[in-house]
Structures are given as structure tokens and as C-alpha cells.
Amino acid sequence: MCPQTALRPSKALDGVNGVQVVPRSPFALEEINQQREFQSTHDKSFFTANQPLLMQVWQQRPSCLRPVRCCMKGDQNFQETVANVLTSLPFIVLGIQAPRKNLNSKLYANSLIGVGVASTLYHSSRGKLRMYLRWADYTMIATATVCLSRALRNENPKLLMAASALLLPVQPLMVSAVHTGMMEVAFAKRALKYPELRMAHNVHKMSSLLGGVLFIADDVFPRTPFIHAAWHLAAAVGVGTCNKLLE
């Protein structure tokens, strides 16, 4: 086919009213295809070049964005196991003593009991069962934070609650962080409004700060004994002050 034939418009639509056939050069079409191929190749090469960096950033993500994995570094000896089990029991006591004014507060109180039971079972377990009890421990803590935020606020965003329910089994630490932050804001606002809560709020701030330091230290120095038990006690004091909000 010669170039003149390729550029010649077809006469099949000449008699149709309102239709105008415009000639198109095959060289222009070829140039457009080349530009698309270059853009596609450029995008792929950019992604390939940055893939190691993206993988490195993903591997360095915080633990709250990682799936729950069994930690076998705790409970190195019998004494540490006993300490971890004994310091799990205060959560059961706090759950029994928590106010039960309505359905939401009852759910929160029962979730605290569940935290103590799950922690006790985990720290006293060994073997393959330990992995599943570690998941149950984290998930129960996240459930308690969700129940607490629900008890403090009768109307939570439905999208947030739905997302929390979906992420609870796979990302319990993330769920705990979000709802703990909501609780901290609510506690601070009520302490400003009601002077009788300021002492409890001050104790809560100190116990939360100490608990955060101990939680990080337990992850950084996993072989140091009794750090986890100390974190249990600091967390129990913080939970006890939170119960003041429901009275």
C-alpha cells in the first residue's frame, strides 16, 4: 500500500449526513504508540528502581502495623512466670470492681476480666498453644480499649467502629493505640471540667508514662527479668484510674 492510498479517506460514509471523514496518518499513530510504550517503560523502571527502598521502608514499619506473632522471649524461668501470672490477676479484680451502670460499661468490665484471664493463660502456657494465647492476649487488650471508648462515648463514629472490628483480629496493637488515644483525650477533658478527677488524672498520666517506658524496655531488653511484670502493674494502675471515669 502506497502512502497516498493510506492517507486517502474512505468513501463508504460520503453519503451520510453530518459525517466527515478525516484522513489519519499511520506515522502519527506509530508516534503515539511509541510515546505510550516509553511512558509505560519509564513507569516500570521507576517502580523497579525504587522497589528496594519501598521494601526497606515496609520492613522497618512499627510493630503496630505488623501481624501478631508469638513472642517466646518472655517467661524465661519459673520465677518470672509466677510474677507475670500474679501481676495479671489485678485486671480480673479491676473488672469485677468496675462500674456496671449500662450495657457498655458492663461490656468493658467483662473485657477487663478477659484481659486478666487471657494474660494468665498466656504466661502459664508452653509449646504451640502459646502462639495462639499470645494472639488472644493482644486481642483481648484491644477489645478492652474499644469497650472503654464505647463506654465513655455513647456515639462513636460508625466507620471507626467497623474498621476496629475488622482490624481487631489482625492488628490489635493498632486498634489499642487508636482507642487508647481517644480515651486519653476524653480523660483530659473531663479532668479539666471536674476538679475531683484531677488527682486520678495525674496518677493516670504518671502510670501511663511509666507503662510506656516499660513496654518499650520489654521489647528492647527481652531477656531482662520482671520488666513485663512491672509493666502489668503500671498498666493496672492506669486502668484503675480509668474506672473513675465511669463512676
Side-chain angles (χ1 to χ4, degrees), residues 158-190:
K158 294 182 179 180
L159 181 60
L160 174 63
M161 299 306 294
S164 300
L166 290 175
L167 292 174
L168 191 62
V170 293
Q171 297 289 351
L173 293 180
M174 181 188 297
V175 175
S176 298
V178 172
H179 287 273
T180 299
M182 295 173 59
M183 178 272 299
E184 295 291 348
V185 173
F187 205 159
K189 288 182 178 180
R190 294 196 184 185

Side-chain angles (χ1 to χ4, degrees), residues 26-223:
F27 302 105
L29 180 61
E30 182 179 358
E31 182 179 357
I32 293 174
N33 291 335
Q34 290 179 353
Q35 290 178 354
R36 290 179 179 174
E37 291 177 359
F38 173 79
Q39 183 67 28
S40 177
T41 305
H42 179 267
D43 293 341
K44 291 180 180 179
S45 62
F46 176 80
F47 179 77
T48 304
N50 290 274
Q51 190 173 7
L53 178 61
L54 296 175
M55 291 296 297
Q56 185 177 2
V57 172
W58 177 250
Q59 291 174 359
Q60 296 298 324
R61 68 192 186 277
S63 58
C64 63
L65 297 178
R66 299 174 182 268
V68 176
R69 293 179 297 179
C70 177
C71 178
M72 305 299 293
K73 298 178 181 179
D75 303 309
Q76 295 294 321
N77 49 57
F78 178 74
Q79 293 81 1
E80 189 176 0
T81 298
V82 171
N84 289 334
V85 170
L86 291 178
T87 53
S88 299
L89 300 180
F91 295 97
I92 300 178
V93 177
L94 290 171
I96 295 174
Q97 297 178 348
R100 298 170 179 265
K101 296 181 179 181
N102 49 45
L103 178 60
N104 290 332
S105 61
K106 290 179 181 179
L107 290 175
Y108 169 64
N110 292 332
S111 68
L112 282 182
I113 298 176
V115 169
V117 172
S119 179
T120 300
L121 292 176
Y122 164 68
H123 288 292
S124 59
S125 66
R126 293 295 184 271
K128 294 182 178 180
L129 182 62
R130 186 174 173 85
M131 177 179 61
Y132 300 101
L133 292 176
R134 170 82 286 186
W135 171 84
D137 185 24
Y138 277 141
T139 304
M140 204 64 237
I141 293 173
T143 302
T145 60
V146 174
C147 292
L148 177 58
S149 65
R150 187 68 182 269
L152 294 177
R153 297 180 57 184
N154 292 327
E155 295 183 0
N156 283 313
K158 294 182 179 180
L159 181 60
L160 174 63
M161 299 306 294
S164 300
L166 290 175
L167 292 174
L168 191 62
V170 293
Q171 297 289 351
L173 293 180
M174 181 188 297
V175 175
S176 298
V178 172
H179 287 273
T180 299
M182 295 173 59
M183 178 272 299
E184 295 291 348
V185 173
F187 205 159
K189 288 182 178 180
R190 294 196 184 185
L192 291 175
K193 186 176 181 180
Y194 303 103
E196 61 271 17
L197 289 176
R198 292 177 182 175
M199 178 61 70
H201 185 242
N202 291 332
V203 175
H204 176 78
K205 288 189 294 185
M206 296 301 296
S207 62
S208 298
L209 180 62
L210 178 60
V213 172
L214 291 172
F215 185 82
I216 296 174
D218 189 29
D219 189 46
V220 176
F221 308 104
R223 296 190 178 277

